[in-house]
Each structure stands twice: as structure tokens, then as C-alpha cells.
Amino acid sequence: MSHDASHEKLSTRAITAGRPDDKVENGINHSISLNSTFGAGSPIAYGRTGNQTWSATESAIGALEGGSTLIFSSGMAAITAALSILKPGARVVASHEGYSGVMTLLKQHHASGRFIVTFLDISQTDQVLSALKDADLLWLESPTNPCLDVAELPQLISAAKALDILVMVDNTFATALTQRPLTLGADVVMNSVTKFLSGHSDVLMGSLSTENPEILQKLEDARQLLGSIAGPFEAWLALRGIRTFPLRFHKACENALELAHRLSTHPKVARVRYPGLPTDSQHERAKKFMKTFGAVLSFEIVGSPADADRLCDSSSIISHATSLGGVESLWERRRRWPSESPSVPENLIRLSVGCEDVDDLWTDIQGALAAI
Ligand SMILES: Cc1ncc(COP(=O)(O)O)c(C=O)c1O
């Protein structure tokens, strides 16, 4: 009997979805299907068109986001597939500040004439609303990486849909436990599964979820023809991570809020960006529709970029590394990457808060701040 997760809470769905129907025959977990081909007549046929382990992971992410889901070899592969369904010359409205890989890709598409992209401050709702006229796609990332700007998702999505504009939302920072853009009317939700969903910094994967069967078909065709498929082992690891995702995420969000408060009173910290802080410019908007404020925060130090680099090297629990969303805390100065947006302050450190004890993390942070 197939499992109907529709009435369950998301924390239950993360555990129940994507299990084998027949647990006597198959066990509690799906196994890793290592097959590049299938016997003639099989619905999968070939390893680039489908895989039983992918399907299990897709069911679990779909149960969280509330739509049919496809997984890809990385978040960027998922984004590339999503953008590939737009016609050449499409008009795209997007934030001028967001994940640097997406920013670079959109700038390249704009420069080559593939798309005409309007970049704007996504937290300025009026600016976004007036840019929507004649647009084909509204690309939303909220909160943004790394400045934690929050887009007015309910209003922007409904305004775009009233104009029949395609809406895609990068939900990597927020996750389905914070906001579920498909329920607000978005057409496609993208996740870098690499981050919170997998949660252990050992997998690269992306996902696209949609409730629209025509869009799903186009995305599936794109995955098949671009060949941007996930490995079965990675799919299995991601699904294993998803089982504990709600537990990890809640703990990490709790830690992030506490650290944001403590950092904001430290004399060597000039500004903390975290939508959960009542003093944050994004807080009033965020609290209207976000169920959590996420587990990533950014702060600017009183000091130079070299001081910020030194600080990131001076911790013992928090690793000096890029990426986010794992059980282990990571930090880095984002402008160390030449591709990072010039609007991101040079001395801004992005901290991905993990699940360690919050007092241990604070001792580590205080020690690192004392070193500069
Ligand atoms: C918000 C956001 N979107 C997309 C991506 C790309 O995902 P991946 O690294 O899995 O390709 C990242 C990676 O950091 C990200 O932070």
C-alpha cells in the first residue's frame, strides 16, 4: 500500500516519506540501485531517465515542499535545468545580490543575450512590483546569500502570478520548514540539497519541485538531455540526511538566534544580519510569513578584511570553510571569492550555524574575536 503523507506534519513526513511500500520484501530503507540500464519493457529503461533510489529521495523532498520533485547532480545543475525551460530572450527579474553562482550565471546569460535580466534589491517590494511588467520569470532567493535580505514572498508571488509570470524560488536558506513557496503559488522551488536537507557536508545535490505537470515534464526532459543526474549513492546519502533534517534544522536555528543576539552586543562586531533579530531591518517582514529565521547569519567585524580572514582561522570548533547547512558550524569571509557581489561588505563573515552546544560555539567565537 502506498503511503499517504499529506495529512502528516513536516517533521513526520521527513521520516515517513520515500520508504519502500513492501517492507517485508525490501526492508525499511530503499537500497542503492546501481543500474545504468533495465530490461526491455521496464518503465525506467535507462540510468539517465530514472533510478529507484532517486525516486525515494524525490518522494521525501516532494513531501516537504508539497510538489513533485526531481533531483539533480548539484544545486547549480538544478538551476541550469530550471533556466533552460525559458525561451531565448526571456525577461528575468532577479535580486542583484544572492548566491554568487546564480548571480554569475544570470550575468553571463544577460551578457550573451540569452536573457534580459533586471537586477534589483529584492527587499524593495515596490521596485520588484514595478519591474514585473513584461517579465517572463521572477527568480526569488529569500533570505539571500550572504546578506540575509528577505523578499516579501506572499505579495511578490501573487503579484507575479496575477500577471502570468513564472515564479521560481531558491529555498535553500529557508527550507520547507520555514516557508513553502509552492503553497503561496510559486511554480518551481529549488533547493541546494547539498546544504540543510543532506546536512553532513558529504553530498552535492539539487532539487526542483513543482505542482505543474507540464513544467515537471519540461524539467525532466531537461535533466535527461543535459545529463545532470544525481548518483544513486548520493541520493541515498541525501535521503538518510533528510530523516534527521527537522531535528538538525530546529537545533541549528535555535543556536543561530542565540548567537545573533550575543554577537550583536560584542564590541568588535559592527553589524549582525539575521532576520530573527528584532533589530534587523528584515525582521518585521520575516516574522509575518517565515516559521523560522534559518541557521545562517552574517556579521561585519570592526576591522579589516585581513582581520576577518584571521578571525576565521582562529576558531577551533567552527571550521574555516565555504558552504553551509551541515551539523558542523562553518564560517568564511565571503568577499574572499572574486565572484562574490561587490555590494557585500569586504569584512562580512558568513556563519553557518551547526548543531554543537551553543555555549561552546560562543566560547569559540569569543576566542576568535579576541585574536583580532
Ligand atoms: C542559496 C544557494 N543556492 C544555490 C546554491 C548552489 O548549490 P550547489 O552548491 O549544490 O550547486 C548554493 C550554494 O552555496 C546556495 O547557497
Side-chain angles (χ1 to χ4, degrees):
M1 206 182 73
S2 153
H3 178 79
D4 173 16
S6 55
H7 62 283
E8 291 173 354
K9 297 252 186 336
L10 297 189
S11 53
T12 303
R13 288 188 201 181
I15 293 170
T16 56
R19 300 277 183 192
D21 285 342
D22 184 346
K23 297 189 178 71
V24 175
E25 175 78 10
N26 300 304
I28 291 292
N29 295 301
H30 280 284
S31 50
I32 305 174
S33 171
L34 294 170
N35 291 291
S36 65
T37 191
F38 295 80
S42 136
I44 296 184
Y46 187 52
R48 191 158 30 75
T49 46
N51 173 283
Q52 289 117 334
T53 321
W54 299 352
S55 303
T57 308
E58 291 170 346
S59 302
I61 299 172
L64 295 172
E65 289 293 355
S68 300
T69 297
L70 300 168
I71 57 168
F72 294 78
S73 50
S74 67
M76 286 308 294
I79 292 165
T80 301
L83 295 178
S84 79
I85 71 170
L86 297 181
K87 60 182 190 314
R91 292 175 182 272
V92 177
V93 173
S95 172
H96 64 87
E97 183 268 308
Y99 173 56
S100 56
V102 181
M103 294 295 97
T104 306
L105 189 66
L106 287 175
K107 279 180 202 153
Q108 281 178 2
H109 282 318
H110 183 73
S112 70
R114 165 94 174 83
F115 300 144
I116 302 160
V117 188
T118 304
F119 292 101
L120 37 67
D121 181 343
I122 211 75
S123 67
Q124 298 301 315
T125 304
D126 289 345
Q127 253 186 52
V128 185
L129 291 175
S130 47
L132 285 182
K133 195 174 156 292
D134 300 331
D136 297 295
L137 170 69
L138 173 61
W139 177 269
L140 293 167
E141 177 186 316
S142 181
T144 59
N145 179 359
C147 285
L148 286 312
D149 287 342
V150 173
E152 184 75 53
L153 283 193
Q155 193 183 349
L156 294 181
I157 293 172
S158 69
K161 290 323 294 173
L163 296 169
D164 212 17
I165 295 166
L166 198 64
V167 179
M168 298 186 182
V169 181
D170 182 337
N171 213 23
T172 302
F173 267 43
T175 83
L177 296 177
T178 298
Q179 60 199 19
R180 299 173 79 220
L182 294 180
T183 65
L184 299 173
D187 298 287
V188 177
V189 167
M190 177 268 158
N191 278 284
S192 169
V193 181
T194 313
K195 315 298 186 193
F196 293 104
L197 288 166
S198 293
H200 296 79
S201 305
D202 52 10
V203 176
L204 269 104
M205 189 177 292
S207 69
L208 297 174
S209 305
T210 181
E211 290 181 289
N212 181 319
E214 272 172 47
I215 294 177
L216 182 70
Q217 191 58 56
K218 285 185 191 169
L219 296 173
E220 195 163 4
D221 291 347
R223 177 175 69 178
Q224 195 187 131
L225 297 174
L226 294 168
S228 44
I229 56 169
F233 180 54
E234 283 73 11
W236 184 89
L237 270 181
L239 181 55
R240 183 179 156 104
I242 288 168
R243 301 301 183 210
T244 55
F245 156 61
L247 283 173
R248 291 184 280 101
F249 192 66
H250 283 131
K251 168 74 176 161
C253 291
E254 222 174 77
N255 281 355
L257 181 61
E258 181 59 30
L259 293 178
H261 277 293
R262 294 189 192 183
L263 277 165
S264 61
T265 62
H266 197 286
K268 286 188 183 163
V269 174
R271 175 175 177 188
V272 179
R273 299 176 190 237
Y274 183 68
L277 271 186
T279 48
D280 190 88
S281 60
Q282 311 296 304
H283 182 68
E284 286 308 311
R285 172 175 299 155
K287 74 177 188 192
K288 283 194 289 182
F289 64 90
M290 290 170 67
K291 288 208 178 85
T292 81
F293 301 110
V296 180
L297 62 87
S298 291
F299 61 99
E300 290 149 56
I301 56 156
V302 179
S304 65
D307 290 329
D309 287 332
R310 202 141 39 83
L311 182 143
C312 292
D313 271 336
S314 305
S315 52
S316 57
I317 296 173
I318 305 173
S319 297
H320 187 182
T322 197
S323 199
L324 55 109
V327 284
E328 57 288 299
S329 298
L330 307 175
W331 60 8
E332 66 170 341
R333 184 176 72 85
R334 279 305 293 175
R335 287 291 298 281
R336 77 189 175 98
W337 300 103
S339 57
E340 188 51 273
S341 164
S343 60
V344 174
E346 278 279 9
N347 59 355
L348 178 142
I349 293 169
R350 187 186 69 195
L351 169 59
S352 170
V353 181
C355 298
E356 303 91 341
D357 180 88
V358 73
D359 291 325
D360 287 341
L361 286 175
W362 180 237
T363 304
D364 203 28
I365 292 170
Q366 280 179 305
L369 281 163
I372 60 165

